[in-house]
Amino acid sequence: MPPVAVPNEAPKKSLRIAIIGQSTFAAEVFKLLIKDGHQVVGVFTVLDKGNREDPLATIASQNGIPVFKYKSWRIKGKVIPEVLEEYKSVQADLNVLPFCTQFIPMEVILYPQYQSICYHPSILPRHRGASSVNWTLIEGDTTCGLSIFWADDGLDTGPILLQKSFPCTIDDTVDTIYNKYLYPEGIKALSESVNMVANGTAPKINQTEEGATYDPALFKAETHQIDWSKGGLALHNFIRGLDSSPGATTFIKPQTEDSENIEIKFFGSALWEGEYEAEGDVIIIPGLNKPAVIHDGGLLITANDGVKLNIQRLKVNGKMINAQNFYKANENKVSLELTDEEKQFVENARNIWKAILRIDIDNDTDFFDSGAGSMDVVRLVEEIKDLVNVELQNEDIYMNTTFEEFYTIAILKARGDSSNQEIKYEGVEMEVNKMKIKFATQLFIDGQFVDSDSGKTLTLINPSDESVICKVQSASKNDVDKAVNAAKKAFEEGEWSKISARERGQILFKLADLMEQHKEELATIESIDSGAVYTLALKTHVGMSIETWRYFAGWCDKIQGSTIPINHARPNRNLTLTKKEPIGVCALITPWNYPLMMLSWKMAACLAAGNTVVMKPAAVCPLTALKFAELCVRAGVPRGVVNILPGSGTVSGQALADHPLVRKLGFTGSTEIGQTIMKSCAASNMKKVSLELGGKSPLVIFEDCDMEKAVRNGMASVFFNKGENCIAAGRLFVEESIHDEFVRRVVVETKKMSIGDPLNRGTAHGPQNHKAHMDKLIKFCERGVKEGAKLVYGGNRVDRPGYFFEPTIFTNVTDDMWIAKEESFGPIMIISKFNSKNMDEVIRRANDTEYGLASGVFTKDVSRALQFAEKIDAGTVFINTYNKTDVAAPFGGFKQSGFGKDLGQDALNEYLKTKTVTIEY
């Protein structure tokens, strides 16, 4: 019999309606009937469950409608007289049965003028009975639907009033067809049907017996048992047919001696389309010829006819788990750090639970142990959606049954992540800088901290006292391959590829907030690991990192293409548009001078553009990168999106440059290593590259400068961050008429600099990053003296434990000297004279280098300053200031200082590709 449907029309008259049933579905029908102008004169529903009232009773009470709650309408097959009289008292014109689990006597069904209409979730006469939705899937129907029929004696055989049908795919479950079709369309269909009755247009079409089925209810345990002798498609249909509740069941014997069979329920079946064999632990399932395999994506089952299906979730001993975790022990959870807004959400969610369960809600209150049923799951999902517009799935409730688990998954969903946030790591806890700090010492791959395949480690030294901080795992080539593949999977299949750009931005904002909350800890770790002065680390290393994440979080939903007018293909017309798309898997290799800030400068733009990343921090100071990885988990960054691999440049760095699945590599470091990386990137797969390399930045100080400001900024241009600064002024050109005074003042101020423990709030100059670098600075100074430069101050290691090097000043430096050409990357000021009468000559000297990262000029003459800015060959020009970088200003060099930009809008282009689309119409 074909489905029957007519256009919905407004009712011409108002009917007195009695609603008989229960659930959120019935409550929504109640609201729609009231909205249509009908009068609900009575609601008849089930008894309260403990303190819990049915949602239909609640909405009726709120609207002042009489509510009647019955355990049963009949005794020994006979209607209860008092119940019947109570029902008759409301004088309904029509009974509406939206969702009714009780047997309603015919005396009630036939009593109203227009009798009774009932909702049924199938296309009658197929799948009569209480488990019709389940059987629709178990039988593999390609069409699902609903019927509104004139109620009969409970056999679902009454005449049809209205029917609707919908497509049913091989991947649908009870929840998906209910949420997509049966719930929203069923509510509307009942409203339409009531209006048709009111308008006198409601048909009564007798059901045919052709194709009729009456399927047994799936309430008893024996009806849930899987028959493994069936083919793969039938197994898939059976499992998805029981997916919501109660679950398809089997028993297995675990791989331990003397253990009893355990019951396992299967959920989330999908036909396996992979051409490869999954690898992992095996499970022997009685009845199957081939063992099932636990792998990264679930539990792979091979039916006896060779068809494979993959199971995503298992319920074991009453607890729902991801199938891939079947053999895994319980792991430590990283608790979420909540914003004030999220804390308010938790309390609002607690009130929703309390309204549903009618009990006080603690964090360990279990939803189902407290009496909730499947309809309560629907209500919870809908109320959370109304509260915070978060689209939870029913399975999210089934897998997170305690209140704490529930609000955690809801918050993660709001942040854009639905992945399992369990994480475990081996780390170090220390009491330092009057606080407790904690950080991991393992590689971070695919959302987990893991040991290196090679077993090799890096020994980290505190540069302030030369003590060993800890050992950190060192990534092998195989570890790089794992991380890249995890990033590729996250980019192509994971949550990161599914969420909107705005949701991506929300996650990055959360990450920035967490970095803000942990800024003292991050600055302390940066200090003991890299020698950064703590106060500078707070402001710059960490402070600017936080600003960078917030800046690029704001860019996420503003990345857009354009429309371009092109010639038309007459007589047709054309439209051309461009799309900005993420590149894919990106590799980042960062230096040791600003460990966290260099990570942030590159990774924030990379993630904002929608890419995934594998990052190798400097081998000598990777700890803030590992702490950052932990914060990524807490912020809800999906697994595989960020991977952190401490390791050597020759092994893990080279493996990233060579990897064929990496499509972009961003590097900050020396020019020599940059050249090697560029060759490898070209030879491997022509991957896109951006390089921020060495510098020998000139700073030109004219005689008309503000001397006090020039001295202060000139010192900062060299000594900032112990000289370990890529844009440090590698050579100062001071006009000869003020040269001696400038040098005198600089020496006086340099002698005042306090050298010492970087954690001391009064320290201005901390230790160099590592011993090899300090030794290089000593040799740099020795060569300068040997070449004839005048060592005015410093040039030696400080006589104390740690890698402390004196701030150093050289004068009388000529252009041909080695120290005038090469970068020291340390606190060594190189001063040369010039005559301002020949400005072109000093610019020529300033440009006489293969580097072009930054430059600076101090003068009160605006015309002179702008001429300098125009003619100097450097990516950044500072005028009457120095080191003034900002997250919104592009940063990058010319010539052998590299190419590509960090920071600002330009940085996004480093991690995007432009696609041109032309449409003819």
Side-chain angles (χ1 to χ4, degrees):
M1 179 175 66
V4 177
V6 297
N8 188 23
E9 296 179 357
K12 295 177 182 176
K13 64 178 179 179
S14 172
L15 296 182
R16 293 170 59 84
I17 306 292
I19 297 181
I20 304 174
Q22 64 205 77
S23 78
T24 306
F25 181 86
E28 291 299 317
V29 171
F30 174 98
K31 289 191 284 188
L32 195 52
L33 294 180
I34 295 292
K35 182 179 178 182
D36 285 346
H38 299 292
Q39 182 182 1
V40 177
V41 293
V43 159
F44 299 84
T45 187
V46 294
L47 298 177
D48 295 351
K49 295 179 180 179
N51 294 325
R52 295 176 53 241
E53 185 177 58
D54 186 83
L56 176 60
T58 300
I59 190 72
S61 298
Q62 291 171 351
N63 284 270
I65 307 300
V67 177
F68 306 89
K69 302 175 184 178
Y70 302 137
K71 181 179 180 181
S72 175
W73 292 71
R74 303 185 309 170
I75 295 179
K76 296 180 180 182
K78 300 288 186 180
V79 64
I80 302 172
E82 312 89 83
V83 171
L84 181 60
E85 290 307 311
E86 207 165 34
Y87 162 76
K88 288 180 177 180
S89 68
V90 303
Q91 292 299 305
D93 296 327
L94 176 71
N95 293 329
V96 175
L97 285 65
F99 177 79
C100 184
T101 59
Q102 296 176 316
F103 190 96
I104 309 302
M106 291 304 292
E107 291 90 337
V108 174
I109 294 292
L110 300 176
Y111 181 79
Q113 176 185 353
Y114 298 108
Q115 300 184 358
S116 305
I117 61 173
C118 184
Y119 167 84
H120 187 78
S122 80
I123 305 174
L124 293 171
R126 185 162 173 79
H127 303 309
R128 294 167 175 164
S131 300
S132 55
V133 184
N134 308 83
W135 284 104
T136 297
L137 299 174
I138 293 171
E139 294 294 328
D141 293 358
T142 58
T143 302
C144 64
L146 60 90
S147 300
I148 310 298
F149 70 99
W150 297 92
D152 58 359
D153 57 358
L155 299 177
D156 305 335
T157 56
I160 300 297
L161 190 160
L162 181 150
Q163 289 187 317
K164 292 187 177 183
S165 61
F166 313 99
C168 184
T169 72
I170 194 67
D171 296 318
D172 271 318
T173 65
V174 172
D175 284 345
T176 61
I177 63 175
Y178 185 75
N179 292 331
K180 283 190 296 185
Y181 307 126
L182 303 184
Y183 183 87
E185 296 298 329
I187 294 166
K188 290 190 289 185
L190 273 168
S191 169
E192 292 177 30
S193 298
V194 171
N195 292 344
M196 291 164 67
V197 172
N199 294 336
T201 59
K204 288 186 177 182
I205 303 173
N206 290 331
Q207 291 191 44
T208 177
E209 290 303 308
E210 183 180 346
T213 61
Y214 190 90
D215 304 309
L218 297 171
F219 298 148
K220 297 180 180 180
E222 57 267 23
T223 63
H224 313 156
Q225 298 299 312
I226 301 173
D227 180 358
W228 294 110
S229 67
K230 291 186 176 181
L233 182 58
L235 291 174
H236 168 67
N237 288 337
F238 186 75
I239 293 170
R240 69 191 181 107
L242 297 171
D243 196 84
S244 178
S245 178
T249 307
T250 195
F251 290 86
I252 70 163
K253 184 176 178 63
Q255 295 176 327
T256 55
E257 294 183 6
D258 302 325
S259 57
E260 297 181 357
N261 285 355
I262 59 173
E263 182 184 73
I264 298 182
K265 293 180 180 291
F266 294 78
F267 301 88
S269 175
L271 292 175
W272 180 257
E273 297 178 355
E275 297 179 357
Y276 60 92
E277 291 288 338
E279 297 181 356
D281 295 324
V282 299
I283 294 180
I284 306 299
I285 298 179
L288 285 180
N289 298 334
K290 192 172 182 179
V293 179
I294 299 170
H295 63 111
D296 287 344
L299 176 66
L300 184 63
I301 291 172
T302 303
N304 293 341
D305 64 353
V307 174
K308 294 181 174 66
L309 49 148
N310 195 54
I311 308 300
Q312 294 179 327
R313 300 177 303 283
L314 302 173
K315 183 177 279 189
V316 184
N317 296 325
K319 177 67 176 177
M320 190 79 81
I321 62 171
N322 286 319
Q324 62 263 36
N325 295 329
F326 181 70
Y327 282 132
K328 292 183 180 179
N330 290 332
E331 297 174 329
N332 295 331
K333 277 192 175 181
V334 172
S335 59
L336 291 179
E337 299 206 15
L338 306 180
T339 63
D340 290 340
E341 184 179 351
E342 288 169 343
K343 290 175 182 175
Q344 184 59 55
F345 163 76
V346 171
E347 294 312 307
N348 292 339
R350 195 187 304 273
N351 290 333
I352 292 174
W353 274 51
K354 187 173 182 179
I356 294 173
L357 299 176
R358 298 298 180 93
I359 58 174
D360 291 332
I361 307 299
D362 299 320
N363 281 358
D364 59 356
T365 299
D366 189 283
F367 195 62
F368 298 103
D369 287 350
S370 301
S374 59
M375 294 309 300
D376 297 310
V377 173
V378 175
R379 177 182 175 184
L380 180 57
V381 168
E382 290 301 313
E383 293 204 29
I384 291 298
K385 180 180 178 181
D386 290 341
L387 178 64
V388 288
N389 198 29
V390 173
E391 291 277 359
L392 291 176
Q393 302 299 318
N394 291 9
E395 68 187 57
D396 293 324
I397 315 301
Y398 291 126
M399 292 193 66
N400 300 277
T401 59
T402 69
F403 180 67
E404 184 175 16
E405 291 171 338
F406 166 77
Y407 75 66
T408 298
I409 194 65
I411 288 170
L412 290 174
K413 283 269 190 175
R415 295 178 181 183
D417 178 37
S418 64
S419 64
N420 188 344
Q421 291 301 300
E422 291 185 348
I423 188 166
K424 176 183 179 182
Y425 69 78
E426 295 176 5
V428 171
E429 293 187 54
M430 302 174 65
E431 184 82 33
V432 60
N433 198 23
K434 299 180 182 179
M435 70 180 74
K436 289 183 179 179
I437 62 174
K438 182 180 179 182
F439 48 84
T441 57
Q442 297 171 286
L443 314 178
F444 185 68
I445 300 175
D446 200 20
Q448 300 290 326
F449 285 102
V450 296
D451 289 340
S452 169
D453 272 2
S454 67
K456 293 183 179 180
T457 59
L458 305 168
T459 300
L460 304 185
I461 305 297
N462 185 331
S464 65
D465 60 9
E466 302 176 60
S467 63
V468 173
I469 302 172
C470 63
K471 290 184 182 293
V472 169
Q473 296 289 312
S474 181
S476 67
K477 184 178 179 181
N478 191 43
D479 294 320
V480 169
D481 189 59
K482 289 179 182 177
V484 170
N485 278 284
K488 183 174 185 291
K489 184 176 180 181
F491 179 75
E492 295 178 350
E493 305 173 23
E495 289 290 324
W496 200 240
S497 65
K498 299 172 185 174
I499 62 176
S500 69
R502 192 158 299 162
E503 289 172 317
R504 188 164 67 244
Q506 289 171 352
I507 293 175
L508 300 190
F509 275 122
K510 292 280 194 319
L511 180 56
D513 291 343
L514 279 171
M515 292 173 72
E516 180 83 44
Q517 293 169 30
H518 288 264
K519 63 182 179 181
E520 289 85 3
E521 183 181 14
L522 287 166
T524 301
I525 296 172
E526 193 96 319
S527 188
I528 66 171
D529 198 25
S530 73
V533 172
Y534 175 72
T535 51
L536 177 64
L538 269 179
K539 180 179 184 296
T540 302
H541 292 236
V542 178
M544 193 173 187
S545 296
I546 295 168
E547 290 179 10
T548 302
W549 285 101
R550 288 187 173 138
Y551 174 79
F552 283 108
W555 263 113
C556 287
D557 60 354
K558 301 169 188 68
I559 299 170
Q560 54 195 21
S562 58
T563 56
I564 303 169
I566 66 168
N567 290 335
H568 297 302
R570 297 177 181 176
N572 295 335
R573 301 178 69 81
N574 293 98
L575 171 66
T576 292
L577 55 91
T578 60
K579 295 176 64 183
K580 297 287 188 179
E581 296 181 350
I583 293 173
V585 178
C586 298
L588 304 177
I589 302 175
T590 56
W592 42 259
N593 58 329
Y594 294 102
L596 184 62
M597 195 170 79
M598 291 296 98
L599 175 155
S600 300
W601 279 24
K602 296 184 185 301
M603 196 185 296
C606 178
L607 296 187
N611 301 286
T612 57
V613 67
V614 181
M615 181 260 182
K616 191 199 86 64
V620 291
C621 48
L623 294 183
T624 43
L626 293 173
K627 187 66 183 180
F628 171 84
E630 180 186 334
L631 297 182
C632 284
V633 177
R634 294 179 183 272
V637 176
R639 58 184 293 182
V641 173
V642 173
N643 303 270
I644 307 291
L645 301 181
S648 69
T650 54
V651 177
S652 52
Q654 188 64 52
L656 285 170
D658 292 338
H659 205 291
L661 297 181
V662 173
R663 292 297 172 186
K664 160 68 199 284
L665 190 146
F667 171 77
T668 294
S670 71
T671 297
E672 294 76 18
I673 300 300
Q675 291 170 332
T676 301
I677 284 176
M678 193 171 176
K679 290 176 185 176
S680 298
C681 289
S684 58
N685 61 344
M686 205 66 110
K687 57 176 62 71
K688 187 176 181 181
V689 185
S690 58
L691 304 171
E692 198 256 283
L693 307 175
K696 191 69 174 174
S697 301
L699 173 58
V700 178
I701 301 174
F702 285 91
E703 73 279 5
D704 65 341
C705 70
D706 180 329
M707 178 64 80
E708 182 179 349
K709 188 175 184 181
V711 168
R712 185 173 66 252
N713 281 268
M715 291 177 62
S717 75
V718 177
F719 301 144
F720 187 83
N721 198 46
K722 314 126 22 175
E724 296 169 354
N725 191 21
C726 54
I727 59 170
R731 189 174 179 192
L732 274 66
F733 294 89
V734 181
E735 211 282 330
E736 57 188 15
S737 65
I738 63 169
H739 174 272
D740 293 348
E741 176 64 12
F742 178 85
V743 172
R744 186 189 68 79
R745 290 198 186 191
V746 166
V747 171
V748 169
E749 295 302 319
T750 301
K751 289 179 178 179
K752 296 177 183 178
M753 292 176 64
S754 57
I755 302 173
D757 182 358
L759 295 175
N760 189 313
R761 304 311 191 260
T763 297
H765 188 79
Q768 304 308 136
N769 186 277
H770 53 281
K771 187 177 185 301
H773 181 55
M774 185 190 65
D775 292 342
K776 176 186 171 185
L777 295 179
I778 293 172
K779 292 180 180 178
F780 187 95
C781 292
E782 289 173 349
R783 185 158 181 177
V785 172
K786 186 176 181 180
E787 287 186 325
K790 183 178 180 181
L791 179 61
V792 176
Y793 184 78
N796 301 299
R797 179 176 181 174
V798 178
D799 185 17
R800 60 171 291 167
Y803 307 135
F804 291 91
F805 187 80
E806 295 174 324
T808 299
I809 303 169
F810 276 102
T811 60
N812 296 349
V813 179
T814 58
D815 294 355
D816 60 330
M817 291 181 180
W818 187 80
I819 64 171
K821 299 176 180 179
E822 296 300 319
E823 181 181 27
S824 71
F825 211 65
I828 301 174
M829 184 178 288
I830 309 295
I831 303 177
S832 298
K833 294 180 182 179
F834 77 97
N835 189 311
S836 63
K837 293 179 181 178
N838 192 343
M839 183 174 172
D840 288 341
E841 175 63 13
V842 73
I843 291 177
R844 182 197 65 76
R845 293 172 67 192
N847 281 334
D848 188 19
T849 172
E850 273 301 302
Y851 298 113
L853 189 56
S855 61
V857 60
F858 277 80
T859 177
K860 294 177 181 176
D861 187 332
V862 175
S863 177
R864 176 189 277 173
L866 293 178
Q867 286 183 58
F868 177 88
E870 182 179 328
K871 294 180 178 180
I872 201 73
D873 199 10
T876 296
V877 182
F878 297 111
I879 298 177
N880 294 326
T881 186
Y882 207 88
N883 284 327
K884 180 59 179 175
T885 55
D886 189 273
V887 295
F891 180 94
F894 300 161
K895 300 186 287 187
Q896 289 195 41
S897 286
F899 50 84
K901 295 294 182 183
D902 291 324
L903 303 181
Q905 184 179 358
D906 286 26
L908 290 168
N909 294 327
E910 303 297 328
Y911 300 96
L912 292 165
K913 56 189 179 185
T914 301
K915 179 180 288 182
T916 302
V917 180
T918 298
I919 307 163
E920 189 165 304
Y921 60 98

